[in-house]
Amino acid sequence: EVNEQQNDLLMYISDVLSMEEVALREALAERVLQYAFFPVLLGSLGSEAADGGDASGLLVRPAAGPRDRLSPECALFLLHETFDIFRSTPALLNPLVAALLLQCPPADLVGGCWRPPPPCPATYQATTPDVS
């Protein structure tokens, strides 16, 4: 059931991103990247730097306290789903590809993967009681 729900959500986002309204498409893509894909999805793929070593690469994050993360297997599965569903949505895929494949990705991309997600907007209302 959880898999179906996440797939439905990704399909809904894909439908909105395929609309002709450029401003809406760009705003949604930016927020999905900022709130979900960078800090949670890509952030779950990295390993912590041992003994405070060099953490300049994307997949090595500075050692820090525990944060909300997905298992690497779950993150990879969702990344696969994302690339499958959004294959014709460059506003969403290009930053993900850059963060994953560039040898020296821009610092803001790397930072977005290791920072905690920003707080939810004040207008956000959870539909599930255990989600804040």
Side-chain angles (χ1 to χ4, degrees):
E1 182 179 332
V2 172
N3 183 35
E4 291 174 11
Q5 289 177 358
Q6 67 82 26
N7 200 304
D8 287 345
L9 180 60
L10 290 176
M11 293 300 288
Y12 175 73
I13 293 170
S14 176
D15 289 344
V16 174
L17 290 174
S18 66
M19 295 172 59
E20 296 296 320
E21 182 59 43
V22 175
L24 176 64
R25 185 173 55 226
E26 290 176 358
L28 178 61
E30 176 186 333
R31 279 155 186 89
V32 168
L33 289 166
Q34 177 185 15
Y35 284 92
F37 287 159
F38 286 149
V40 179
L41 187 61
L42 294 186
S44 296
L45 294 177
S47 61
E48 292 187 0
D51 67 14
D54 179 23
S56 59
L58 175 63
L59 294 180
V60 180
R61 69 176 168 267
R67 295 203 353 224
D68 292 331
R69 295 284 179 206
L70 303 172
S71 70
E73 296 83 5
C74 182
L76 286 172
F77 171 75
L78 291 173
L79 189 61
H80 173 270
E81 292 289 299
T82 298
F83 278 98
D84 186 42
I85 292 171
F86 296 101
R87 68 177 73 113
S88 61
T89 311
L92 203 60
L93 290 187
N94 288 352
L96 286 174
V97 169
L100 287 168
L101 299 180
L102 288 178
Q103 186 160 355
C104 293
D108 59 330
L109 290 182
V110 174
C113 295
W114 305 142
R115 282 190 299 269
C120 294
T123 56
Y124 173 79
Q125 293 183 3
T127 58
T128 307
D130 61 339
V131 176
S132 57

Short mmCIF file of all heavy atoms in Angstrom, two decimals, residues 7 11 14 78-88 93:
data_model
loop_
_atom_site.label_atom_id
_atom_site.label_comp_id
_atom_site.label_asym_id
_atom_site.label_seq_id
_atom_site.Cartn_x
_atom_site.Cartn_y
_atom_site.Cartn_z
N ASN A 7 3.79 6.04 -5.36
CA ASN A 7 3.70 6.07 -6.82
C ASN A 7 2.60 7.03 -7.26
O ASN A 7 2.79 7.80 -8.21
CB ASN A 7 3.47 4.66 -7.36
CG ASN A 7 3.84 4.56 -8.81
OD1 ASN A 7 3.33 5.31 -9.62
ND2 ASN A 7 4.72 3.63 -9.13
N MET A 11 3.13 10.36 -9.52
CA MET A 11 2.36 10.55 -10.75
C MET A 11 1.60 11.89 -10.72
O MET A 11 1.53 12.59 -11.72
CB MET A 11 1.38 9.39 -10.96
CG MET A 11 2.06 8.06 -11.24
SD MET A 11 3.09 8.08 -12.72
CE MET A 11 1.85 8.13 -13.98
N SER A 14 4.04 14.59 -11.30
CA SER A 14 4.40 14.55 -12.72
C SER A 14 3.33 15.22 -13.58
O SER A 14 3.64 15.96 -14.51
CB SER A 14 4.59 13.10 -13.17
OG SER A 14 4.83 13.03 -14.54
N LEU A 78 13.27 4.57 -4.75
CA LEU A 78 12.54 5.79 -5.04
C LEU A 78 13.23 6.63 -6.10
O LEU A 78 12.58 7.28 -6.91
CB LEU A 78 12.34 6.60 -3.76
CG LEU A 78 11.38 5.98 -2.75
CD1 LEU A 78 11.38 6.76 -1.44
CD2 LEU A 78 9.98 5.89 -3.32
N LEU A 79 14.55 6.60 -6.11
CA LEU A 79 15.28 7.30 -7.16
C LEU A 79 14.98 6.67 -8.52
O LEU A 79 14.75 7.38 -9.51
CB LEU A 79 16.78 7.26 -6.86
CG LEU A 79 17.67 8.12 -7.74
CD1 LEU A 79 17.30 9.59 -7.61
CD2 LEU A 79 19.12 7.92 -7.37
N HIS A 80 14.93 5.35 -8.58
CA HIS A 80 14.56 4.66 -9.82
C HIS A 80 13.15 5.06 -10.26
O HIS A 80 12.91 5.37 -11.43
CB HIS A 80 14.65 3.14 -9.62
CG HIS A 80 14.13 2.37 -10.79
ND1 HIS A 80 12.82 1.99 -10.90
CD2 HIS A 80 14.75 1.93 -11.90
CE1 HIS A 80 12.65 1.35 -12.03
NE2 HIS A 80 13.81 1.29 -12.66
N GLU A 81 12.21 5.06 -9.31
CA GLU A 81 10.84 5.46 -9.62
C GLU A 81 10.80 6.90 -10.13
O GLU A 81 10.08 7.21 -11.07
CB GLU A 81 9.95 5.33 -8.37
CG GLU A 81 9.73 3.91 -7.92
CD GLU A 81 8.82 3.15 -8.86
OE1 GLU A 81 7.66 3.55 -9.02
OE2 GLU A 81 9.28 2.16 -9.45
N THR A 82 11.57 7.76 -9.50
CA THR A 82 11.61 9.17 -9.90
C THR A 82 12.11 9.32 -11.32
O THR A 82 11.51 10.03 -12.13
CB THR A 82 12.52 9.96 -8.93
OG1 THR A 82 11.95 9.87 -7.61
CG2 THR A 82 12.65 11.41 -9.34
N PHE A 83 13.20 8.65 -11.66
CA PHE A 83 13.74 8.75 -13.02
C PHE A 83 12.79 8.13 -14.03
O PHE A 83 12.69 8.60 -15.17
CB PHE A 83 15.13 8.12 -13.11
CG PHE A 83 16.22 9.05 -12.65
CD1 PHE A 83 16.71 8.95 -11.37
CD2 PHE A 83 16.72 10.02 -13.48
CE1 PHE A 83 17.71 9.81 -10.93
CE2 PHE A 83 17.71 10.89 -13.06
CZ PHE A 83 18.20 10.79 -11.78
N ASP A 84 12.07 7.09 -13.64
CA ASP A 84 11.12 6.45 -14.55
C ASP A 84 9.92 7.36 -14.80
O ASP A 84 9.51 7.57 -15.94
CB ASP A 84 10.67 5.11 -13.97
CG ASP A 84 9.80 4.34 -14.92
OD1 ASP A 84 10.10 4.31 -16.13
OD2 ASP A 84 8.79 3.76 -14.46
N ILE A 85 9.36 7.92 -13.74
CA ILE A 85 8.15 8.73 -13.87
C ILE A 85 8.43 10.10 -14.45
O ILE A 85 7.66 10.62 -15.27
CB ILE A 85 7.45 8.85 -12.50
CG1 ILE A 85 6.89 7.47 -12.10
CG2 ILE A 85 6.35 9.91 -12.52
CD1 ILE A 85 6.37 7.39 -10.69
N PHE A 86 9.55 10.72 -14.10
CA PHE A 86 9.84 12.09 -14.52
C PHE A 86 10.83 12.14 -15.69
O PHE A 86 11.52 13.14 -15.86
CB PHE A 86 10.40 12.90 -13.34
CG PHE A 86 9.43 13.06 -12.21
CD1 PHE A 86 9.52 12.27 -11.09
CD2 PHE A 86 8.42 13.99 -12.29
CE1 PHE A 86 8.63 12.41 -10.05
CE2 PHE A 86 7.51 14.15 -11.26
CZ PHE A 86 7.61 13.35 -10.14
N ARG A 87 10.88 11.11 -16.50
CA ARG A 87 11.89 11.04 -17.55
C ARG A 87 11.86 12.22 -18.53
O ARG A 87 12.86 12.54 -19.15
CB ARG A 87 11.82 9.72 -18.30
CG ARG A 87 10.57 9.54 -19.13
CD ARG A 87 10.62 8.22 -19.90
NE ARG A 87 10.43 7.11 -19.02
CZ ARG A 87 9.37 6.31 -19.04
NH1 ARG A 87 8.44 6.50 -19.93
NH2 ARG A 87 9.25 5.34 -18.20
N SER A 88 10.73 12.88 -18.67
CA SER A 88 10.66 14.03 -19.59
C SER A 88 10.43 15.34 -18.83
O SER A 88 9.81 16.25 -19.35
CB SER A 88 9.53 13.80 -20.60
OG SER A 88 8.29 13.68 -19.93
N LEU A 93 14.72 16.54 -13.11
CA LEU A 93 15.79 15.56 -13.30
C LEU A 93 17.17 16.17 -13.44
O LEU A 93 18.15 15.61 -12.95
CB LEU A 93 15.50 14.69 -14.52
CG LEU A 93 14.34 13.71 -14.37
CD1 LEU A 93 14.27 12.80 -15.58
CD2 LEU A 93 14.47 12.90 -13.10
#
